[in-house]
Amino acid sequence: MTSGLVRRGSGSYPADLEHLAAPPSCLYVLGDLACADARRVAIVGTRRASRVGREFAAELGFGLARAGLCVVSGLARGIDGAAHRGALDARRTAPGVPGPLAVVGSGLDVVYPAEHRELWESVAAAGAVVSEFGPGTPPLPHHFPARNRLIAALAEVVVVVESAERGGSLVTARLALDLGRTVLAVPGSVRAPVNRGTNLLLRDGASPVLDVSDVLGALGLAGPASPPGPVPARRPQHPAGALARRVGELLAAGPASPEALADQLSVHPLALTGAIEELAQLGLVEQPGLWWELTPAGAAVDW
Amino acid sequence: MLAMIAAATLLGAVGRPVTVEVHVSSGLPGFTVVGLPDEACREARDRVRAALLSSGFAWPMQRITVNLAPSGQRKGGSVLDLPIAVGLLAATGVVPAEAVTGRAFLGELGLDGSLRRVPGMVPMVAARRDERCVVPLDCVSEGRLVAADVEGASCLGELVGVLRDGLPWPEPAPSGAPDAGERPADLADVRGQAFARLALEVAAAGAHHLLLVGPPGAGKTMLAHRLAGVLPDLDAETALEATILRSAAGLPLPGGLLRRPPIRAPHHSASLVSLIGGGTAAVRPGELSLAHGGVLFLDELAEFPPSVLDALRQPLEEGVVRVTRARASVVFPAAVLVVAATNPCPCGHATSPGGCRCTATERQRYVRRLSGPLLDRFDVRVVVHRPPEDDLLALEPGESSATVAARVAAARERAHRRGVVANAHLPGSRLDELAPLSDPARERLREELRAGTLSGRGLHRVRRVARTLADLAGEDGPLGLCWVALALQLRQDPARHLQVAA
């Protein structure tokens, strides 16, 4: 793994950064910046993502890397990390594809968040981790908007997967729009706070992303031999009891706490617990935090 | 020229008999109090002198020595004013000696000769229950809770009138209505919140400590204040203990004996001593003991200093507080049901995905305070959500406190038959016998243990809560899967969302 310094004006300095009002005078690089020669797509989103969001970000990262694109993101918790993981998976299964590019808000020797050390090193080994901050710079809050502007400048298309109403990823999206980049957003439940930001982007005119081909389309690339999503006719039917189905229906609209479910259905906690147990036994729902949500298997069910 | 007067002082929540010996003899006029009096006690000299003069009695120009026996014990407070004054009156022959024998005197004197109440009247009268007690007139009803023969007077002159001239004892003002009138707010006001209501019921029925987690404005405080209303009345022994503790803390007892479980809600800035009990001048019961038999509500649990929460752990296990000081050590009863409320994170919105706006560090710091041994003390932990505005109007009023209280009383009755006050006290060694598991329930718990989401201690607690759930439904026999699953659902882990956010 190499590390080095790329000065503005040198051949390997990404030309797209010149679109910025104040391009960084130099970039610190860990890894090989050659991955940036491919066409670049940024995948960004909240650090506090739902499981569905993280899985979809990984799916996008995987699909876009497989399509020969360089996935740009910020190595943060949540969506960013998931997107990088997806891109790395693609490279593992098909070694020819470009590695991911990460832009971080601290010095390259200051791994933040600390639990991403392994991911950080994998990205540097497969692609590159870059920063405009010198070694030893701590990840201060104001570094992240600066980091976001580099992500916006480096990407041709910015995909926002999940974002709260005032999330940092909306800052990236706005910077990208100012630079004339295309901004795409992944739609979500109108009730879930985690989808509020992306749904606002859609309302304001961003194009929706339902799968990888939507991103490829925005880049003017043909989608891969069209997998138009799961075939609706083949979706499994809902299982078991009537109450369990209504629980599934509600969860399909977004994650909810048992409290909220009991109130919406006006049932006794005992009955509700029975229904949730039934769904959990079938592997359709899970409880990742203080709420219940559908598993991928549950999301595939036609409630 | 010697008079011996029976009296008592307060140590913690226990009255200790004290004999006040007053000796009046010729010599240089003077007034000495010996026998380890504290500051308030030594000041009795000045109050007694002024009170006697204002009441129209002569001050003997003689040598006066007052001894407080047993003289090795330190005595505090102003309760010995009255016995000293009565002793002086008896020693100087103003009241006949036989009028004061067999009586105990308790009370503080005002400079005008009036008799005033002091904290701890109930336990002090209890310490002198074999004598005929004389107390300030407004304390008579309290004294009669623990002793048969208690009379009162409003001032020194009145008292002398009775003792010397044989006038009748003045009638105390009728005490207020029993406190049944001030039943706490009703559960029917709570709309929706099915899980929180169930959690409240389970906590009351099984004496399981309860933790409510939810965003600001979800109604955590409202729920907690309704818990006392569904608890059964205090039994005679607990009622007396609670009344004595309340009296020792100097709090008013408007309804006489405390029959309804008390609720105490100390603020999170409360000091350790104010919660646990203690103090330098007099050892005073803390909030924990004032909630004896009832509910201790800790709002904003995570804001309490860790030292305070740690200090609560041992009393919660034992049901008593031991305060040990260099001069004395005191045991206060403290069998309480703890209800705590907390936000899941500093901003309070981590109960839904993406709702939280805190940084990961902020939340980690917050949750670290909540996790571990403290969280383990709470058998029942539920998420309270903020119901949508429409629901507040649309939903039917919930069951009333009286309905729930009836089920709680029935469930407690079942626990009594197992030999415990409530299911939270079921000994772990007898769980297999008292809370046997059905096969599917056992399998379900095994899964949880295997997945690492349940600890050995947690397992016991889940079984006890499941037992309570079955008791509330009136079911005997092995615990079915549904009760165990529900008990698991009533055991949310507010620390868990951290791992999700990572």
Side-chain angles (χ1 to χ4, degrees):
Chain A
M1 193 187 308
T2 59
S3 63
L5 189 68
V6 176
R7 288 187 188 285
R8 188 178 171 193
S10 79
S12 47
Y13 188 83
D16 290 333
L17 291 182
E18 296 295 342
H19 299 169
L20 287 168
S25 57
C26 64
L27 280 182
Y28 297 86
V29 181
L30 195 62
D32 187 358
L33 211 46
C35 62
D37 294 342
R39 296 184 72 178
R40 297 179 294 263
V41 177
I43 302 176
V44 297
T46 178
R47 284 169 292 162
R48 301 182 268 281
S50 74
R51 174 172 170 153
V52 173
R54 279 177 281 134
E55 281 173 359
F56 191 69
E59 201 178 307
L60 278 184
F62 184 88
L64 294 173
R66 281 296 281 268
L69 299 167
C70 169
V71 173
V72 184
S73 195
L75 260 182
R77 294 187 179 95
I79 299 296
D80 284 21
H84 281 309
R85 286 202 176 90
L88 288 171
D89 281 347
R91 200 175 150 85
R92 257 194 292 281
T93 52
V97 309
L101 177 62
V103 187
V104 298
S106 60
L108 290 176
D109 54 341
V110 185
V111 176
Y112 177 84
E115 66 260 30
H116 275 185
R117 176 169 297 281
E118 213 172 296
L119 181 63
W120 184 292
E121 284 163 1
S122 309
V123 170
V129 181
V130 304
S131 171
E132 61 175 311
F133 303 103
T137 312
L140 299 178
H142 67 269
H143 291 171
F144 291 94
R147 182 271 312 258
N148 290 347
R149 91 186 198 286
L150 295 193
I151 293 180
L154 283 169
E156 259 180 82
V157 170
V158 175
V159 184
V160 187
V161 178
E162 277 185 339
S163 172
E165 191 164 357
R166 291 187 296 170
S169 16
L170 291 192
V171 175
T172 314
R174 205 191 55 225
L175 291 168
L177 287 173
D178 290 348
L179 291 166
R181 310 294 195 250
T182 306
V183 172
L184 306 178
V186 178
S189 160
V190 289
R191 293 264 184 233
V194 76
N195 294 319
R196 180 87 184 143
T198 43
N199 286 344
L200 285 175
L201 282 176
L202 291 171
R203 191 185 66 185
D204 294 346
S207 298
V209 174
L210 302 184
D211 57 32
V212 175
S213 61
D214 290 328
V215 186
L216 296 177
L219 286 162
L221 299 171
S226 176
V231 185
R234 300 269 298 278
R235 300 182 84 187
Q237 282 301 303
H238 66 80
L243 182 59
R245 204 190 65 167
R246 288 168 67 202
V247 171
E249 245 168 35
L250 284 177
L251 288 179
S257 69
E259 267 287 340
L261 289 173
D263 277 6
Q264 284 172 37
L265 295 168
S266 300
V267 293
H268 190 266
L270 181 64
L272 178 68
T273 307
I276 291 179
E277 281 287 302
E278 192 180 329
L279 294 173
Q281 286 293 324
L282 294 167
L284 299 177
V285 298
E286 62 175 355
Q287 188 180 25
L290 293 171
W291 59 85
W292 284 90
E293 60 184 56
L294 294 177
T295 59
V301 172
D302 180 17
W303 293 101
Chain B
M1 299 298 259
L2 176 70
M4 315 260 271
I5 306 294
T9 57
L10 186 68
L11 177 67
V14 179
R16 289 185 313 175
V18 170
T19 305
V20 176
E21 301 166 342
V22 182
H23 186 249
V24 179
S25 66
S26 55
L28 268 182
F31 189 5
T32 0
V33 181
V34 298
L36 285 185
D38 77 350
E39 200 51 46
C41 221
R42 213 169 300 131
E43 286 166 357
R45 286 192 310 188
D46 302 312
R47 281 193 299 271
V48 167
R49 188 180 135 92
L52 281 179
L53 291 174
S54 327
S55 305
F57 302 109
W59 183 255
M61 294 307 285
Q62 284 171 294
R63 181 160 189 81
I64 304 166
T65 309
V66 173
N67 180 38
L68 310 174
S71 35
Q73 281 175 2
R74 184 160 292 273
K75 286 133 209 110
S78 48
V79 67
L80 298 177
D81 289 4
L82 179 62
I84 292 174
V86 171
L88 261 171
L89 292 172
T92 51
V94 177
V95 297
E98 57 274 15
V100 299
T101 47
R103 287 194 192 281
F105 295 84
L106 300 163
E108 180 184 314
L109 284 178
L111 298 189
D112 57 352
S114 58
L115 267 58
R116 292 181 179 160
R117 67 158 56 238
V118 292
M121 212 38 117
V122 178
M124 287 189 289
V125 170
R128 286 295 191 185
R129 75 179 78 212
D130 298 331
E131 272 97 352
R132 292 173 292 158
C133 294
V134 179
V135 299
L137 195 57
D138 56 346
C139 299
V140 171
S141 55
E142 293 169 25
R144 285 182 182 162
L145 296 174
V146 288
D149 190 349
V150 179
E151 298 295 350
S154 59
C155 68
L156 205 50
E158 197 172 54
L159 179 60
V160 171
V162 176
L163 295 178
R164 183 183 61 190
D165 309 329
L167 297 177
W169 286 102
E171 271 307 305
S175 61
D179 64 349
E182 51 165 324
R183 261 190 114 81
D186 200 280
L187 257 182
D189 309 340
V190 180
R191 313 240 161 164
Q193 310 271 31
F195 266 89
R197 296 176 60 102
L198 177 66
L200 224 56
E201 188 175 332
V202 169
H208 302 289
H209 300 311
L210 169 65
L211 178 65
L212 301 166
V213 183
K220 304 187 289 283
T221 311
M222 170 177 171
L223 284 160
H225 280 289
R226 280 160 177 74
L227 178 55
V230 298
L231 285 172
D233 280 345
L234 298 178
D235 60 52
E237 188 190 346
T238 316
L240 189 59
E241 284 172 346
T243 307
I244 286 176
L245 285 162
R246 207 175 150 82
S247 166
L251 297 177
L253 288 164
L257 197 65
L258 213 60
R259 286 185 197 86
R260 290 296 305 157
I263 174 164
R264 303 291 299 181
H267 187 249
H268 57 71
S269 64
S271 72
L272 200 150
V273 167
S274 76
L275 269 176
I276 303 297
T280 40
V283 187
R284 192 178 171 281
E287 291 290 330
L288 187 58
S289 297
L290 291 176
H292 177 59
V295 177
L296 181 70
F297 176 42
L298 303 175
D299 203 357
E300 303 297 352
L301 182 71
E303 302 296 337
F304 279 85
S307 59
V308 170
L309 295 178
D310 283 344
L312 285 178
R313 270 154 51 181
Q314 180 264 344
L316 287 187
E317 296 287 304
E318 285 196 49
V320 294
V321 177
R322 293 175 208 284
V323 179
T324 307
R325 297 286 182 270
R327 283 185 198 149
S329 85
V330 175
V331 178
F332 293 122
V336 300
L337 179 54
V338 178
V339 181
T342 182
N343 293 333
C345 63
C347 84
H349 293 283
T351 46
S352 57
C356 172
R357 279 188 229 103
C358 313
T359 66
T361 339
E362 273 172 346
R363 280 188 301 171
Q364 236 141 13
R365 201 168 44 225
Y366 201 77
V367 164
R368 205 174 298 134
R369 293 197 192 165
L370 292 180
S371 56
L374 178 70
L375 214 52
D376 244 17
R377 297 287 188 286
F378 294 99
D379 296 359
V380 180
R381 307 188 289 238
V382 286
V383 174
V384 185
H385 75 124
R386 183 156 43 184
E389 294 75 12
D390 298 347
D391 285 11
L392 287 178
L393 296 171
L395 288 173
E396 296 283 305
E399 282 179 308
S400 70
S401 290
T403 318
V404 178
R407 279 202 301 270
V408 167
R412 288 230 172 180
E413 183 52 40
R414 284 167 178 268
H416 275 298
R417 273 182 258 143
R418 292 185 198 105
V420 289
V421 175
N423 286 339
H425 310 302
L426 288 176
S429 52
R430 293 185 60 207
L431 274 180
D432 280 332
E433 167 202 342
L434 299 173
L437 294 167
S438 66
D439 286 341
R442 186 180 304 278
E443 191 45 45
R444 177 68 216 272
L445 287 173
R446 194 171 290 141
E447 266 171 43
E448 293 284 330
L449 287 169
R450 215 177 285 138
T453 43
L454 194 62
S455 67
R457 179 156 38 169
L459 175 68
H460 282 344
R461 292 181 180 259
V462 168
R463 291 178 74 170
R464 292 190 188 106
V465 172
R467 180 75 267 167
T468 304
L469 284 164
D471 284 355
L472 281 169
E475 266 188 33
D476 289 312
L479 294 169
L481 173 62
C482 58
W483 304 122
V484 167
L486 190 50
L488 286 168
Q489 214 39 245
L490 290 174
R491 198 181 157 77
Q492 302 283 337
D493 184 354
R496 238 175 112 175
H497 68 274
L498 247 199
Q499 299 137 21
V500 184

